[in-house]
Amino acid sequence: MTLPLEDIKILDLSRIYAAPAGSMILADLGADVIRIESPQGTDSMRDWSPFVESESTYYFTANRNKRSVTIDLKKEAGKALFLELVKTADVVLENFVTGTLDRLGIGYEQLKTVNPNIILCSVTGYGQTGPYCKEPGFDPVIQAIGGLMDVTGFMDGDPTRVGVPIVDIICSLYTTVSIMTAIRARDKGGEGQHIDLSLLDVQISSLANIASSFLNTGYISKRLGNQHNNVVPYQVFQCKDRPMMIAVGNDKQFRKLCEILNRPEWLTDEKFSTNSSRVANRVEMTEQLEQIFITKTADEWFKLFSEKGIPSGPVNNVEQALKHPQVLARELVEEVPHPTLGKIKLVRNPIRFSKTPITIRRHPPLLGEHTVSFLREELKLDLQEIENLKSQGII
């Protein structure tokens, strides 16, 4: 099977999640992604629980379909080895603190002297410029600084981070898009270039309607828990057995809701008849709905809403989500061989092409698992040369 990015080679110096998850998507699409770490390991995600035997399940989430090579970039011989690899690479991906590659002597200016067509993608907390550019960037800190935590959580509670590293996840998508765009620009007759991606930039851009509302009206969104600032009813309600989310996005759907709930009087009540009036009378609307939703189970309500096209669904935990009939039907979980664990289960890439099936071809690699084979194939080093590099701690 031929994959669309099979002729693309990426040297991935990144660690943790934002950048590695981006290179993983490119690897899914066929790119040859070579993780390069120090012989002692660079990626602290390998140390994060929970573990299967000695392997981190956290590390699994961002590293399928890659190879792993160890090189000590702080040693001159290791840097020389890396620059040899750059000569035939398309992309170098890194997410060290701004300026680290320059200090190591492998910044963009050095890379392009070796390979003028090289694309360097730098993913940092705050970008390559500005007063915060040297600060380390971690997802929850960016959620705080970037305004996301202030609009997440309940009005009478603390600001709350999203339960997954959402800024890293969104940034990984921008990493993928920016790299493919730079490759396309180069292949159309341009040159390589340096991509500057910032977690804070990504977070600010993802504020969407919240940013637009403030910039154009001065309105500052408030924390409303599972409610929506601008749409009612659009929130979680407790049912007889468990909570469920309902999203009545417009007045047409509200009319259907009134039909299901047998509340035709709401359609002519000036307090509820339009979304604007429902927002203004949110508390009264919510109190009446709470008394109704508690009378049936979440599944009973879902069946009624589904028949009328009203978006809704029970609040599932992770086990219920992964066992959801739609998730099972879409075969989102794949079992793959692993050299020390026998088999592991991973969530698949969600992209579905009609003619290009995407599979998990490689397990998340062990540290340095492919060093010997890669150096023999790529640089034509013999076993004695490789042993000498090992004895010096370079690989």
Side-chain angles (χ1 to χ4, degrees), residues 141-159:
V141 177
I142 301 298
Q143 287 193 41
I145 290 177
L148 180 58
M149 283 179 61
D150 187 61
V151 297
T152 306
F154 289 87
M155 184 180 296
D156 56 353
D158 293 333

Side-chain angles (χ1 to χ4, degrees), residues 14 53 58 71 127 175 184 234 252 276 284-285 343 367:
S14 65
E53 295 181 12
Y58 209 126
I71 300 175
T175 299
R184 177 68 170 156
Y234 201 106
K252 181 179 178 181
S276 297
E284 185 176 349
M285 175 93 272
K343 290 183 178 180
L367 179 63

Side-chain angles (χ1 to χ4, degrees), residues 1 27-28 36 96 114-115 125 151 188 192 202 249 285 310 332 335 353 373:
M1 179 184 66
D28 290 344
I36 296 179
F96 296 112
V114 173
N115 180 354
V151 297
K188 290 181 70 175
V202 166
M285 175 93 272
I310 296 176
L332 278 163
E335 193 171 64
F353 291 114
S373 60

Side-chain angles (χ1 to χ4, degrees), residues 7-185:
D7 58 342
I8 301 299
K9 184 186 298 179
I10 299 172
L11 304 179
D12 186 0
L13 303 177
S14 65
R15 67 264 193 251
I16 313 296
Y17 196 91
S23 64
M24 179 178 70
I25 296 170
L26 297 170
D28 290 344
L29 299 173
D32 185 10
V33 177
I34 302 98
R35 282 183 57 93
I36 296 179
E37 298 181 66
S38 77
Q40 292 75 41
T42 306
D43 196 340
S44 56
M45 271 218 305
R46 294 180 185 275
D47 303 322
W48 294 357
S49 62
F51 296 93
V52 181
E53 295 181 12
S54 61
E55 299 299 320
S56 165
T57 56
Y58 209 126
Y59 168 77
F60 290 167
T61 62
N63 292 290
R64 62 175 180 256
N65 286 332
K66 302 179 185 180
R67 295 191 282 173
S68 175
V69 172
T70 53
I71 300 175
D72 190 341
L73 297 175
K74 294 181 179 178
K75 296 182 178 179
E76 285 301 314
K79 183 173 73 173
L81 196 62
F82 174 72
L83 290 175
E84 280 298 311
L85 299 177
V86 170
K87 291 179 180 179
T88 57
D90 296 281
V91 179
V92 172
L93 174 63
E94 62 96 11
N95 62 352
F96 296 112
V97 173
T98 297
T100 300
L101 286 196
D102 289 328
R103 289 197 300 273
L104 291 172
I106 52 173
Y108 181 59
E109 294 303 317
Q110 290 81 20
L111 296 182
K112 70 179 183 179
T113 61
V114 173
N115 180 354
N117 290 322
I118 197 69
I119 294 162
L120 172 63
C121 181
S122 296
V123 179
T124 58
Y126 300 92
Q128 301 294 305
T129 59
Y132 278 56
C133 70
K134 297 296 178 70
E135 290 290 325
F138 280 76
D139 181 285
V141 177
I142 301 298
Q143 287 193 41
I145 290 177
L148 180 58
M149 283 179 61
D150 187 61
V151 297
T152 306
F154 289 87
M155 184 180 296
D156 56 353
D158 293 333
T160 305
R161 72 173 182 86
V162 178
V164 295
I166 191 64
V167 185
D168 283 354
I169 292 168
I170 299 172
C171 192
S172 72
L173 301 177
Y174 278 104
T175 299
T176 302
V177 171
S178 64
I179 287 174
M180 289 197 294
T181 302
I183 291 171
R184 177 68 170 156

